[in-house]
Amino acid sequence: MASYGSETPEKELRQWLEANVQETGRAFKYALVGGSIFHFFKGLYRSPNGARLVGAWHAMGVNAPRVAGKFGAWFALSTAVDIALGYARQKDDLWNPIASTTIPTVLLCMHRGRAATLGFASLAAGLTVAMELSIPIGRRYMAELDDKKCRHGRCGK
């Protein structure tokens, strides 16, 4: 989201839709793989001794698509909120990713009740803040390491 309003609205909408579909597809694939692995081992552990492999395959086949669908829906909503906030606010700062993870979490967890929704929203916001703040800290740390290497003559220059 580097610039807002620089292109025609139709072109911006097309780019947004393409980005949203790509993000949603990626999230669905990653969740399908991760959910398959998780539920396979969970089914393997919880099945009776004689049918562990069958139980693991069944648990994976039943639960992995559900997990992938939930992640895909969350990412689609998150991307939509992120684009809408960036377009409405005309800036891309730390508040956009925090809101774009918290708002979909709230919307998708409202059926669980107020306490659960508040807990999940707080968790989503906290994890997003930690992730967004760790990126510049990590870059700074890596730059300092590179600088130390160069001072000792090991930078390859």
Side-chain angles (χ1 to χ4, degrees):
M1 293 197 154
S3 62
Y4 300 99
S6 62
E7 299 171 354
T8 64
E10 293 85 16
K11 192 170 183 180
E12 286 182 1
L13 180 62
R14 183 177 301 269
Q15 289 175 347
W16 173 80
L17 286 173
E18 289 173 2
N20 197 356
V21 167
Q22 288 175 355
E23 287 285 324
T24 303
R26 241 182 262 129
F28 184 84
K29 286 188 292 189
Y30 291 146
L32 189 62
V33 170
S36 296
I37 293 168
F38 176 79
H39 285 291
F40 179 82
F41 285 112
K42 187 176 177 183
L44 194 67
Y45 176 73
R46 292 187 175 194
S47 297
N49 277 342
R52 290 206 187 268
L53 199 56
V54 172
W57 279 105
H58 177 72
M60 180 183 72
V62 169
N63 294 316
R66 179 179 46 85
V67 171
K70 286 182 180 182
F71 269 86
W74 186 85
F75 265 83
L77 195 54
S78 177
T79 305
V81 170
D82 188 35
I83 300 293
L85 282 173
Y87 190 76
R89 296 182 66 226
Q90 295 291 315
K91 57 178 146 178
D92 193 18
D93 57 0
L94 185 62
W95 293 107
N96 287 0
I98 294 170
S100 70
T101 55
T102 307
I103 291 170
T105 303
V106 167
L107 292 175
L108 294 174
C109 290
M110 286 173 59
H111 70 281
R112 296 180 181 206
R114 288 182 185 165
T117 302
L118 181 63
F120 280 116
S122 301
L123 181 65
L127 288 174
T128 305
V129 168
M131 184 182 66
E132 290 292 327
L133 292 179
S134 68
I135 292 170
I137 292 170
R139 285 185 185 146
R140 183 174 158 195
Y141 178 72
M142 293 304 289
E144 288 177 6
L145 282 178
D146 289 342
D147 189 41
K148 285 180 183 179
K149 286 180 184 177
C150 284
R151 275 193 250 139
H152 296 295
R154 292 180 287 204
C155 64
K157 291 182 182 177

